[in-house]
Amino acid sequence: MDTLFHNTNDAVIVMDELGVIMHWNPKAEIIFGWSATEAIGCYFHNICLPDHNCEPYLKMIKQSSQGQLVSETMEIVAQRKNLAEFEINLGISHAAINGKTFLIGFAIDITERNQVRDKLDKQKEFYENILNCIPTDIAVFDANHKYIFVNPKAIENEELRKYIIGKDDFEYAEYRNRDDSVAKLRREQFLEIKKSAKEIRWEDSIKDPNGHTITHLRRLFPVFNEKREISMVIGFGIDITERKLLEEKQTAILNQLSSQNTQLVDFCNIVSHNLRAPLVNMAMLANFIEQSTDEDEKKLLISKLNPVINNLHNTFNELVESIQIRQDHEISSEDILLEDCLQRALGGLELEISACGGVIEKNFYDAVSINFPSKYLHSIFQNLVGNALKYKSPVRTPLIRLESKREGDSIILSVSDNGLGIDLVKHKDSIFKIGKVFHRHPNAKGIGLFMTKTQVDAMGGRIWAESTPDQGSTFFIEFKKQKI
Amino acid sequence: MKPFKRIFLIEDDSISVFLVKKTIEASNFLTDIKVFNDGLEAIEYFEEIVGHADLFPDIIFLDLSMPVMDGWAFLEEYMQMQPRLGKDIALYVTTSSISPHDIERAKSIRVVSDFLIKPLVTYKVVELLSKLN
C-alpha cells in the first residue's frame, strides 16, 4: 500500500472530510510543486486550485461534509506552487477508515493529453476540410465493398451520406429506387481489384439534368495492411469534362488539319496533272501551228485546239466547284424527302434509263428524309445512279437499289447495282480521286465520285464502297448528326 | 536488224497521241508506232507477243493517268511479266504531271528508264532513239 502510494503515476492526496491534506505523495510534490511538509495541513483547494476555478470542487467537498458519499471525477484547472495553471483530471472518492471519513484524491496532469487531443482535433478538422472541400468525389470501402467514408462531393445530401456508411452499392441503389446496373458494374470492378491487387481507372460520361455530358476520370485503388491484404479500397473521380471537351476539340482540329493537308496534296496533284495536261497540249499545238507551212496541216492543228480548250475549261470549272464546296461552310441543310430528290435526279437520267430498260428499286421507309444541302443530295443521286447506268453490265439489265437506314443518329444511304463493279483490291485508294476512271466509256471523266466525296466530306459525312468485279457495286454514304 | 524503231505509246488522250506521234515523226527516224489507250490494252498485247521477240518494242512511252489501268498499275503488271519477255525494253514514263511525288515514285521502279515531263520535244526523242543500238 505504501509502495503504491509512493510510486504510482498519479498524485495521491489523502484529505480529511473537509479537504485538509493529510498525506501527499512524491508524485503530488512533482505535479503541484509543493513538498509534503508544505502541503500537509493545508486545504487542498487553497494551495492547488486557483480561486476562480474551485467552485465544483468546493461543492463536492460541501456535499461530502454533509454526509453524502461522493465519488467523482472532474477535469479541472489546477495551480502549481509557482501559480502556473494547468489541467488535471481529479478523482475524489470517499474512504472510511476506523470509523473516520477520509477523502482520497487522485490527480493526473492532463495538460499534455489535452494538447495532444486538441492537436488531433485540429488535424482531424484539417483533413476533413480537405476531404469535404476537395472538388473530387471520394469514397472509401472496406475489404467487403461496404462504404467507410464518402465525401460531400460524392454525395451531397448529408442524410444519404450518413445512410450509406456500412452499406454497399446494392443497398444504396435499392434505397434510392435505382436499378442495380451501376452497382453490378462497381462490384465487378471491386472484385477485379481484389483479384489483381492493382488499381483500375476508367472514364465515364453521364448526362447532367441539363442534358450536358459530364465526364469523370475515376480510379479505384487498393490499400494494403502490413500483411499485404487489402484493408480498404479508395475510389475517386475527377470531373474532366472541360479537358475532355478540349481534347475532342483538339482531335477535331487535328482531323480537320490532316484532311485539309490531304486535300492540299490532292489539289497539288490535280493542278500539276489534270490542269497541266491540256496546257501542255495547247502549247505543243501552238508550236506546231507556228512551225507548219502547210495550210491544211495548220487547219487540222487549229481544229484540235478547241477540244483541248474545252477540256481545260471543264477541268478548271470542276476544280473551282470542288473548292467552293470545301469552302462553303455556310451552305444550309434542310430536311429533304429522299423520294422527291431521287425523282428529280431520275428526271435528268430519263433517256439513259429508258435506253437500257434499267429498273430502279427503292426503300426509304426506315429514313424518309435527310437533313443535307438539297443541291448536294441531288448531285449525289445523279452521280451514283448515273454511274450505275453508265457502267452497266453488257449482259445484265441494270437493277439499281436505293435504301436508307438509320444507325444511331446517322442515316446510311446505299446505292447498289449489278453492273461492272470495280476491283477494289487494286483501286481502293483511288476510287474517289479526281480523274480516275475504271472502265472504258466515252463519257467517263473521273469527276462524279470525286465531287460526291467532296460534298459528303464537306458536310462531315463518310462515303465508301463495296464491289465485286462483274457482279456490281454498292456505294454507302453516312449522313451524320441526323434528327432522331 | 530491222530498218525501223518499234514504239509503243500507251496514252489515252487522243490529242496527246497525235502530238507525240507528230513529235516522233519530226525526229526523222523510221518508226512504227503502236498506240494503246490504256495500260490493260498494252498488257493484253504483251501477253499475245510473249515469245515473239521480233514484235517487242524498242521503246515504250507510258502515260500515268489513264482509265481502266493507269500507268502505275501497268508498271506492276509489266514488272511481273518482264522476266518472261527476256529482254530489257527502254521504258519512259511520259506525263504532264510535275508532282515530285510522281517523279520519285517512277524513278524508284526498276523497269523505268527515265521520267519525262511533257511536252515531249523532238530533240529528246532523237536522243532517246539514237541511244538504242
Side-chain angles (χ1 to χ4, degrees):
Chain A
M1 181 71 195
D2 209 40
T3 327
L4 197 68
F5 181 74
H6 278 96
N7 295 331
T8 173
N9 263 329
D10 296 352
V12 182
I13 307 126
V14 181
M15 297 170 278
D16 68 10
E17 54 194 346
L18 296 173
V20 178
I21 298 165
M22 299 169 70
H23 289 287
W24 187 253
N25 81 341
K27 189 70 185 180
E29 291 183 321
I30 294 169
I31 291 179
F32 293 99
W34 301 98
S35 68
T37 342
E38 288 170 321
I40 290 168
C42 297
Y43 281 99
F44 173 74
H45 69 271
N46 273 352
I47 62 167
C48 292
L49 299 178
D51 292 344
H52 60 87
N53 197 36
C54 55
E55 205 54 46
Y57 168 81
L58 288 176
K59 204 173 144 198
M60 191 184 67
I61 295 295
K62 199 173 166 200
Q63 283 169 351
S64 158
S65 65
Q66 283 166 357
Q68 289 178 29
L69 287 178
V70 291
S71 175
E72 210 169 315
T73 306
M74 59 184 89
E75 277 185 19
I76 190 166
V77 175
Q79 184 175 284
R80 283 187 239 277
K81 186 183 177 186
N82 65 6
L83 301 181
E85 292 186 1
F86 65 110
E87 283 171 89
I88 56 168
N89 188 321
L90 180 64
I92 305 275
S93 45
H94 254 90
I97 303 167
N98 299 332
K100 271 199 87 176
T101 305
F102 297 96
L103 292 170
I104 302 174
F106 298 91
I108 310 163
D109 184 344
I110 56 167
T111 315
E112 212 169 284
R113 200 181 79 191
N114 281 357
Q115 275 171 356
V116 170
R117 200 182 59 202
D118 279 356
K119 217 168 150 187
L120 281 175
D121 281 349
K122 276 196 182 126
Q123 241 169 30
K124 194 173 160 217
E125 198 186 321
F126 175 74
Y127 287 119
E128 269 176 3
N129 248 327
I130 291 180
L131 290 172
N132 293 342
C133 302
I134 196 168
T136 301
D137 308 357
I138 299 174
V140 182
F141 304 93
D142 66 14
N144 296 314
H145 204 190
K146 305 250 188 216
Y147 283 88
I148 306 174
F149 172 83
V150 172
N151 80 339
K153 182 77 184 157
I155 298 179
E156 215 169 315
N157 182 307
E158 197 181 338
E159 209 177 298
L160 290 172
R161 199 162 64 236
K162 280 189 177 142
Y163 167 84
I164 206 170
I165 302 303
K167 312 276 194 316
D168 64 18
D169 280 322
F170 291 96
E171 290 166 283
Y172 186 67
E174 199 185 320
Y175 185 69
R176 307 242 15 222
N177 280 324
R178 291 174 174 172
D179 77 89
D180 60 0
S181 55
V182 175
K184 276 182 181 155
L185 181 71
R186 295 287 180 266
R187 176 58 52 89
E188 273 171 35
Q189 289 171 322
F190 191 87
L191 294 175
E192 169 72 29
I193 290 171
K194 281 193 91 170
K195 206 171 132 195
S196 68
K198 277 184 188 141
E199 76 148 46
I200 55 172
R201 53 175 81 187
W202 73 97
E203 282 178 17
D204 65 22
S205 295
I206 46 162
K207 295 248 190 249
D208 73 1
N210 300 324
H212 298 124
T213 303
I214 307 290
T215 305
H216 281 92
L217 172 66
R218 299 197 182 280
R219 289 172 69 176
L220 263 177
F221 62 92
V223 178
F224 303 94
N225 62 18
E226 59 279 4
K227 286 186 208 148
R228 297 293 302 153
E229 294 161 338
I230 290 175
S231 59
M232 56 184 188
V233 172
I234 301 177
F236 69 86
I238 306 168
D239 185 338
I240 55 163
T241 308
E242 272 180 43
R243 205 181 76 187
K244 198 77 188 161
L245 286 177
L246 204 68
E247 247 175 47
E248 277 166 15
K249 240 187 230 166
Q250 279 175 336
T251 315
I253 291 171
L254 210 67
N255 285 342
Q256 199 188 347
L257 273 180
S258 107
S259 107
Q260 277 175 354
N261 192 42
T262 315
Q263 283 174 9
L264 198 65
V265 171
D266 281 352
F267 186 71
C268 261
N269 284 333
I270 293 166
V271 171
S272 72
H273 188 265
N274 301 57
L275 277 184
R276 200 173 174 272
L279 272 175
V280 166
N281 283 348
M282 276 166 72
M284 283 177 85
L285 281 169
N287 215 9
F288 281 127
I289 292 169
E290 260 176 28
Q291 288 167 3
S292 176
T293 48
D294 183 299
E295 277 308 310
D296 284 344
E297 192 190 41
K298 262 192 191 173
K299 267 189 188 153
L300 174 70
L301 289 166
I302 289 169
S303 77
K304 290 198 180 290
L305 267 177
N306 246 338
V308 179
I309 291 168
N310 283 342
N311 176 3
L312 181 61
H313 204 118
N314 286 340
T315 310
F316 183 81
N317 283 346
E318 278 146 4
L319 256 184
V320 169
E321 198 188 323
S322 83
I323 292 167
Q324 275 168 348
I325 292 169
R326 280 165 203 187
Q327 299 296 324
D328 194 357
H329 301 300
E330 302 294 306
I331 192 156
S332 58
S333 295
E334 50 194 300
D335 289 330
I336 310 157
L337 288 170
L338 289 168
E339 178 67 43
D340 286 2
C341 191
L342 175 66
Q343 287 311 330
R344 269 187 290 131
L346 292 181
L349 296 162
E350 224 169 296
L351 278 180
E352 287 91 332
I353 297 170
S354 59
C356 64
V359 179
I360 314 262
E361 291 181 358
K362 67 227 158 191
N363 175 359
F364 297 146
Y365 299 116
D366 201 29
V368 178
S369 65
I370 279 177
N371 190 263
F372 208 67
S374 149
K375 195 168 89 178
Y376 292 178
L377 190 64
H378 180 261
S379 140
I380 288 169
F381 274 134
Q382 216 171 22
N383 275 325
L384 293 183
V385 177
N387 278 350
L389 294 167
K390 205 190 271 182
Y391 304 113
K392 60 181 189 290
S393 155
V395 293
R396 289 184 294 272
T397 304
L399 171 62
I400 303 167
R401 285 203 180 90
L402 297 107
E403 198 173 13
S404 61
K405 264 206 153 74
R406 292 193 167 276
E407 260 178 39
D409 63 352
S410 288
I411 292 173
I412 314 274
L413 176 71
S414 62
V415 180
S416 63
D417 64 51
N418 59 348
L420 294 170
I422 299 170
D423 186 346
L424 289 178
V425 179
K426 281 186 186 156
H427 302 298
K428 193 177 187 317
D429 295 332
S430 51
I431 54 169
F432 297 108
K433 291 219 167 123
I434 192 169
K436 292 291 173 189
V437 173
F438 306 98
H439 302 288
R440 292 172 191 137
H441 190 283
N443 291 328
K445 289 188 300 178
I447 284 295
L449 287 179
F450 168 72
M451 279 299 180
T452 299
K453 181 170 164 57
T454 308
Q455 288 162 340
V456 172
D457 282 352
M459 301 310 294
R462 208 159 61 90
I463 182 166
W464 69 101
E466 289 171 2
S467 184
T468 310
D470 207 32
Q471 283 188 21
S473 311
T474 306
F475 285 86
F476 299 91
I477 298 176
E478 179 180 2
F479 298 88
K480 292 192 178 167
K481 294 188 181 150
Q482 297 291 317
K483 289 172 198 153
I484 301 169
Chain B
M1 195 184 147
K2 58 184 189 273
F4 54 85
K5 305 288 181 199
R6 198 186 294 277
I7 297 173
F8 282 10
L9 181 54
I10 309 172
E11 164 80 76
D12 67 312
D13 179 52
S14 60
I15 307 259
S16 287
V17 169
F18 170 82
L19 291 166
V20 173
K21 269 182 163 176
K22 222 170 158 42
T23 308
I24 294 171
E25 276 164 22
S27 73
N28 288 326
F29 273 83
L30 270 178
T31 55
D32 172 32
I33 303 172
K34 200 162 175 51
V35 178
F36 302 92
N37 282 317
D38 59 61
L40 189 60
E41 281 187 10
I43 286 293
E44 281 165 357
Y45 186 72
F46 268 113
E47 287 287 355
E48 276 176 38
I49 63 169
V50 167
H52 299 87
D54 56 323
L55 295 177
F56 289 178
D58 298 294
I59 194 165
I60 300 170
F61 291 113
L62 172 70
D63 185 22
L64 287 177
S65 165
M66 284 179 293
V68 188
M69 183 190 280
D70 67 8
W72 303 116
F74 169 83
L75 284 169
E76 269 176 44
E77 299 273 332
Y78 179 73
M79 273 199 290
Q80 285 182 13
M81 175 184 276
Q82 221 232 358
R84 289 196 284 142
L85 297 176
K87 183 190 171 190
D88 279 338
I89 298 166
L91 187 153
Y92 294 92
V93 169
T94 47
T95 169
S96 45
S97 170
I98 46 170
S99 143
H101 172 75
D102 283 348
I103 298 176
E104 276 305 303
R105 187 173 161 197
K107 288 194 168 169
S108 72
I109 296 172
R110 181 172 45 79
V111 294
V112 174
S113 307
D114 205 356
F115 186 94
L116 307 177
I117 293 171
K118 287 180 189 171
L120 193 61
V121 287
T122 306
Y123 74 82
K124 188 75 192 172
V125 174
V126 171
E127 185 193 313
L128 297 179
L129 293 178
S130 309
K131 264 207 290 201
L132 304 167
N133 44 11

